[in-house]
Amino acid sequence: MSSLVGTDLVRLTAAETARVIADGEVSAVEVTRAHLDRIGAVDDRVHAFLHVDEEGALAAALAVDERRAAGETLGPLAGVPLAMKDVVTTKGVPTTAGSRLLEGWVPPYDATVTRLVREAGIVILGKTNMDEFAMGSSTEHSAYGPTHNPWDLSRIPGGSGGGSAAAVASFEAPLAIGTDTGGSIRQPAAVTGTVGVKPTYGGVSRFGLIALASSLDQAGPCARTVLDAALLHAAIAGHDPLDSTSIDAPVPDVVAAARSQDVRGMRVGVVKQFSGEGYQPGVEQRFRESVELLEELGASIVEIDAPHFAYALPAYYLILPSEASSNLARFDGMRYGLRVGDDGTASAEQVMAITRDAGFGAEAKRRIMIGTYALSSGYYDAYYGQAQKVRTLVVRDFERAFEQVDVLVSPTTPTTAFPIGERIDDPMSMYLADLCTIPSNLAGNASMSIPAGLSPDDGLPVGLQFIAPPLADDRLYRVGGAVEAALADRWGHLLIDQAPEL
Amino acid sequence: MSDTSASISRDEVAHLATLARLALTDDELDRYAGQLGVILASVARVAEVAADDIPPTSHALPLTNVMRDDEVRPGLTQEEALAGAPAAEQGRFRVPRILGEEA
């Protein structure tokens, strides 16, 4: 008989969960059942999940228990539950990307990320809520209603992956998969007091991700600890012949880096452009303290000038809509998804336009039209073409910075979680949430958000972002693990342990 | 060259909506005209950067064509491919008419 009961089981880290399963203290089925119970108890208030696959989860957990009983050696996350962002296809399990257009769609295939998760013996609990097609910073643009921040249910959990971050933060799952096109893993991690990593572009396969902006999209891990994120990162990363942009190179040893917790001699850059107007004082305070902590731990701090980062946001909001307007053209009501207005007389083109107006939400329509505008003849050079040149300059700013330092550090997002509804009708103020995260997507490098503490002005989590050069993802885990350990030492616990009981 | 002072008229929004295959309502045209103007005015700041001699970056990593071996491998079955279709007939996608009334 197990000494661990359900409420304890959901509070374990992924690494601990895997260990108690491997040691035979509990079964994978018991672990899965405990998380399904937790979802049943709190998700009516959090709304992290769009679909809970109870049957599939229990079957996957049973398979792990059977393989263990048969004496098989299983992977380091076997039996650990996970919440999958609903933009990642899962064979036989509904996948909507938060859109009415895909309501009830059941993919006939698994994304590579899904396949790797399943092969690692990780148990997929269900699909998490998100801004429609990953466009948004609050999860309010989901067609299925917003997700609520477990720290304050009246506030946003970030976006677009607010469901994945909220699932992890509310102890519904120790792990989740997110996707990050402009900050959709890191900004939700920041405002929910959790850990989120955007790997180097091409580090994790995009096959089976419903595409938003193909040159920017990247899937990655969400967790409550840096080590857990590293374990999941190691499980999903690697070359995939099904993604032509997948990197054919060894994955850096992120797990060893997370365990090293040593930043002595590391050179850390502070970007001077990531501060000032628009930054909440409590966020800046926790950020300054984190930089001081890094210095205490033996890192050297260098101020970095990145003059073109100020133009990363406008460049991004031209490049992203341009790619999105093209990618979302596939939703034409012909081969899958919603079809509206097919009355026997309307033409295919009319049905397409009626379907798209009925199926897309306001933010998707705005971005599709901005992208259509930026790509139209007469505007292309001034908008899309110029944005691509600015992208080059942002890449060069990073290259110069990484000649001087090993990693960059910044606040993840300028403010803590804002109230649901506050920015919904003001797209530009919503876009500012991604100010510090966007440059990494434009450059394709690796970045991470970890908790830096609670903001003294409102008591809500503040995120600390680290950025490493392409393919140097291990540096994130090294510095992230060290800061996490030092803060836990100072506080006597992880920040997430301070989250309110739901 | 184009004007990036970026106010956008209701008619321009209607034209964009047609190009993007979005049958917007009158209310939507009014609302988006204002919102798109604000967004475009903000993103037009990219023009402030002197970048005439800077090459564009379309992708974070240098891209090359990637070919797989020309071998038969399993794909979706007909049933799987049609499983999500809004309408299917005789093992095919059924679509609305694609030609005009006079065709």
Side-chain angles (χ1 to χ4, degrees):
Chain A
M1 189 59 203
S2 161
S3 60
L4 286 161
V5 294
T7 47
D8 301 327
L9 282 176
V10 300
R11 299 192 77 89
L12 298 181
T13 67
E16 290 163 349
T17 305
R19 187 182 52 78
V20 294
I21 293 170
D23 289 352
E25 271 187 67
V26 288
S27 69
V29 167
E30 285 174 288
V31 168
T32 294
R33 175 46 66 197
H35 285 87
L36 291 169
D37 288 349
R38 175 72 180 170
I39 293 167
V42 303
D43 208 52
D44 58 332
R45 282 163 287 152
V46 178
H47 193 226
F49 284 87
L50 292 178
H51 179 83
V52 177
D53 182 21
E54 180 167 341
E55 199 180 321
L58 288 169
L62 184 62
V64 168
D65 288 334
E66 286 170 352
R67 286 168 63 195
R68 205 182 65 80
E72 274 188 61
T73 308
L74 301 174
L77 290 175
V80 178
L82 172 141
M84 183 69 84
K85 189 175 180 183
D86 204 31
V87 75
V88 182
T89 57
T90 41
K91 185 172 183 174
V93 179
T95 300
T96 70
S99 180
R100 281 283 168 232
L101 266 172
L102 284 178
E103 190 166 13
W105 182 59
V106 180
Y109 67 103
D110 272 341
T112 296
V113 168
T114 305
R115 177 176 63 78
L116 291 171
V117 160
R118 292 191 204 277
E119 285 173 4
I122 298 168
V123 173
I124 300 173
L125 295 171
K127 307 298 291 289
T128 57
N129 199 12
M130 55 183 285
D131 288 295
E132 183 177 17
F133 294 113
M135 289 184 269
S137 307
S138 70
T139 316
E140 293 167 285
H141 293 306
S142 167
Y144 305 100
T147 296
H148 300 264
N149 191 321
W151 289 80
D152 176 347
L153 295 170
S154 72
R155 289 176 187 263
I156 61 103
S160 65
S164 285
V168 169
S170 60
F171 297 92
E172 293 176 318
L175 299 173
I177 293 290
T179 60
D180 191 311
T181 306
S184 290
I185 290 174
R186 291 162 288 159
Q187 182 256 1
V191 300
T192 57
T194 57
V195 176
V197 178
K198 183 197 91 69
T200 296
Y201 179 84
V204 175
S205 172
R206 289 185 298 109
F207 178 77
L209 266 55
I210 297 171
L212 171 55
S214 306
S215 82
L216 305 165
D217 296 344
Q218 185 58 208
C222 311
R224 291 190 294 264
T225 70
V226 171
L227 177 62
D228 284 0
L231 290 165
L232 183 55
H233 188 136
I236 60 173
H239 181 241
D240 180 15
L242 296 178
D243 173 2
S244 66
T245 58
S246 173
I247 297 170
D248 194 359
V251 180
D253 192 346
V254 292
V255 175
R259 289 200 166 110
S260 78
Q261 299 181 358
D262 183 6
V263 294
R264 279 173 301 173
M266 206 170 193
R267 299 166 303 161
V268 176
V270 175
V271 180
K272 70 177 189 190
Q273 277 78 10
F274 286 145
S275 63
E277 198 190 334
Y279 288 78
Q280 191 175 320
V283 170
E284 292 209 299
Q285 183 184 331
R286 291 290 175 251
F287 174 66
R288 278 193 305 274
E289 292 164 1
S290 303
V291 173
E292 285 162 19
L293 176 62
L294 280 162
E295 220 164 2
E296 283 169 35
L297 295 173
S300 58
I301 307 298
V302 181
E303 189 185 70
I304 294 292
D305 185 24
H308 300 100
F309 281 14
Y311 296 96
L313 187 89
Y316 174 86
Y317 277 105
L318 286 164
I319 291 168
L320 178 133
S322 297
E323 293 191 26
S325 69
S326 167
N327 272 325
L328 297 178
R330 79 190 62 202
F331 296 103
D332 56 11
M334 299 298 138
R335 292 152 300 156
Y336 39 72
L338 186 72
R339 178 185 290 180
V340 181
D342 184 11
D343 59 5
T345 60
S347 70
E349 199 170 320
Q350 287 164 334
V351 169
M352 207 178 286
I354 296 167
T355 298
R356 286 163 62 82
D357 187 56
F360 283 125
E363 182 63 12
K365 289 177 194 171
R366 280 192 286 267
R367 295 206 198 180
I368 288 169
M369 287 191 286
I370 293 283
T372 304
Y373 184 84
L375 293 172
S376 356
S377 68
Y379 296 101
Y380 182 94
D381 289 339
Y383 285 99
Y384 185 65
Q386 178 74 3
Q388 287 186 307
K389 292 176 174 185
V390 171
R391 187 173 186 179
T392 305
L393 294 168
V394 169
V395 171
R396 289 181 183 174
D397 280 358
F398 272 119
E399 286 169 352
R400 260 194 309 277
F402 288 127
E403 285 168 9
Q404 301 170 63
V405 296
D406 301 306
V407 292
L408 298 171
V409 62
S410 78
T412 307
T413 180
T415 69
T416 56
F418 46 89
I420 289 172
E422 186 180 88
R423 302 190 189 181
I424 188 79
D425 291 319
D426 184 356
M428 275 318 302
S429 84
M430 186 76 86
Y431 295 173
L432 289 172
D434 296 334
L435 197 59
C436 312
T437 45
I438 277 172
S440 281
N441 298 86
L442 291 177
N445 57 33
S447 44
M448 161 189 275
S449 179
I450 66 164
L454 300 179
S455 174
D457 36 33
D458 57 16
L460 291 167
V462 173
L464 182 65
Q465 177 178 239
F466 298 107
I467 308 173
L471 299 171
D473 305 45
D474 52 327
R475 292 185 201 171
L476 304 174
Y477 288 95
R478 188 176 148 205
V479 66
V483 171
E484 177 187 68
L487 287 173
D489 203 39
R490 184 178 287 182
W491 298 328
H493 54 76
L494 291 170
L495 188 71
I496 195 67
D497 295 324
Q498 274 178 264
E501 296 286 330
L502 288 165
Chain B
M1 259 321 271
S2 52
D3 169 24
T4 54
S5 62
S7 75
I8 183 162
S9 70
R10 198 175 182 281
D11 285 350
E12 284 175 294
V13 175
H15 178 61
L16 287 174
T18 306
L19 292 175
R21 304 291 184 271
L22 291 167
L24 297 187
T25 63
D26 285 346
D27 282 353
E28 286 183 306
L29 288 173
D30 292 335
R31 184 150 30 97
Y32 293 136
Q35 290 178 342
L36 297 190
V38 171
I39 296 169
L40 286 171
S42 177
V43 296
R45 284 194 295 128
V46 294
E48 294 168 12
V49 182
D52 283 351
D53 54 347
I54 303 296
T57 297
S58 64
H59 224 265
L61 299 170
L63 280 182
T64 47
N65 281 335
V66 177
M67 306 289 182
R68 70 169 173 90
D69 294 335
D70 186 17
E71 287 166 356
V72 177
R73 60 176 192 196
L76 297 180
T77 63
Q78 184 185 53
E79 197 184 331
E80 285 170 332
L82 291 172
E89 231 174 75
Q90 299 176 331
R92 297 166 194 174
F93 296 104
R94 191 192 68 73
V95 301
R97 65 178 175 81
I98 55 168
L99 298 175
E101 298 286 7
E102 282 83 43

